[in-house]
Amino acid sequence: MNSKSVKCPVFDGTDYGWWKNRMMHFIQGTDYECWVIIENGPLAITTTNANGVSSVKAPKNYTSDDYKKAEKNARAISLLQSGIGKSETSRIAESKTAKQIWDSLPLAYEGAVQVKKQRIDLLMQQYENFKIHEDEPIKSMSSRFSSINNELSNLGRQFETKDIIRKILRSLTKKWRQKVTAIEECRDLATLTYEALMGSLMAHEITLENDVEDKPKLRVWP
């Protein structure tokens, strides 16, 4: 495939690991020498005096070979900048070389990625251990569960609706066993929506409350 036909991946501040891997291969396929410059630093443009001491050569003294090195260094920077979205350019504003740009990004994002993973691990533990509290209203249970599920979704950890339905049913206490069995036997869990499940559980909750109210009280004999 012609490298010119491959679209440069653009980093927008999310999913840094994915972008880093894609960008590395994109640059290698476009100009491998630029990738070497990004990894190891710019091509040196120096001059050596009579005493054998090297120093950076002034642009006014560049030879044609020096200009080629300067252009290659600039191309490495340009390739990286092409893959960094407008919202993230402030993070590389102080970088003078392609290597400085590349090395600065992990400091900002790989630490954030680790924090994200830890947060996902904590929320997954809460998700897996989720249970309705004894005598907790369905509305309250739903609110607690949605809070966990929504945060996981925002962090990129999403579940299919059918899996969420099964998780809710497993979280209910023994007094819900008859209703859970009825739902599992009479409803297609693959097509049942979360809203429909909550509506069904809330309706049954009213029935359970009425049964408690209608239950005759034990008479205390003198």
Side-chain angles (χ1 to χ4, degrees):
M1 181 182 292
N2 190 329
S3 62
K4 293 182 179 179
S5 67
V6 179
K7 187 176 181 181
C8 177
V10 178
F11 181 53
D12 62 0
T14 61
D15 212 349
Y16 170 73
W18 174 89
W19 175 84
K20 178 181 178 181
N21 185 61
R22 290 290 300 277
M23 192 63 182
M24 177 184 70
H25 292 298
F26 171 78
I27 294 172
Q28 289 175 346
T30 301
D31 189 329
Y32 203 94
E33 190 174 7
C34 282
W35 175 249
V36 174
I37 290 171
I38 290 170
E39 278 199 307
N40 302 315
L43 298 174
I45 306 175
T46 60
T47 185
T48 304
N49 62 21
N51 297 322
V53 178
S54 296
S55 60
V56 177
K57 185 183 287 190
K60 65 180 181 180
N61 298 323
Y62 278 4
T63 65
S64 59
D65 286 341
D66 293 333
Y67 278 114
K68 289 179 181 178
K69 289 180 179 179
E71 288 171 0
K72 188 64 71 169
N73 290 336
R75 177 165 169 74
I77 293 175
S78 179
L79 282 171
L80 275 181
Q81 289 179 335
S82 297
I84 298 175
K86 184 177 179 181
S87 62
E88 304 306 311
T89 54
S90 62
R91 297 188 182 276
I92 63 170
E94 302 299 320
S95 300
K96 304 301 183 183
T97 68
K99 179 173 173 56
Q100 288 176 352
I101 293 173
W102 187 256
D103 290 347
S104 69
L105 292 172
L107 298 177
Y109 295 103
E110 287 189 339
V113 168
Q114 185 60 34
V115 171
K116 177 181 175 181
K117 287 181 179 178
Q118 291 174 349
R119 183 59 182 161
I120 290 175
D121 288 343
L122 176 61
L123 288 166
M124 279 301 301
Q125 185 177 13
Q126 294 177 9
Y127 181 93
E128 291 167 358
N129 296 331
F130 185 85
K131 297 287 184 182
I132 189 172
H133 298 319
E134 193 68 33
D135 296 326
E136 180 182 16
I138 290 297
K139 185 175 182 180
S140 172
M141 180 274 291
S142 176
S143 178
R144 288 195 303 113
F145 181 83
S146 294
S147 177
I148 297 171
N149 187 52
N150 290 340
E151 191 168 351
L152 279 169
S153 180
N154 292 336
L155 292 170
R157 185 68 169 90
Q158 297 178 329
F159 300 93
E160 293 186 22
T161 301
K162 62 182 180 181
D163 295 324
I164 292 174
I165 297 298
R166 291 190 177 96
K167 177 59 186 175
I168 289 292
L169 294 177
R170 290 196 304 270
S171 76
L172 299 174
T173 56
K174 290 182 179 180
K175 75 175 185 179
W176 292 92
R177 185 171 297 168
Q178 185 177 353
K179 181 62 175 178
V180 169
T181 301
I183 292 174
E184 291 176 338
E185 291 180 350
C186 302
R187 303 292 293 269
D188 182 358
L189 300 187
T191 60
L192 181 62
T193 66
Y194 181 81
E195 292 75 14
L197 174 64
M198 290 301 107
S200 179
L201 293 177
M202 288 180 184
H204 187 68
E205 183 176 48
I206 295 174
T207 300
L208 292 176
E209 291 173 351
N210 290 337
D211 287 346
V212 171
E213 292 176 359
D214 294 341
K215 189 174 180 179
K217 297 181 182 179
L218 293 176
R219 182 175 180 182
V220 179
W221 293 92

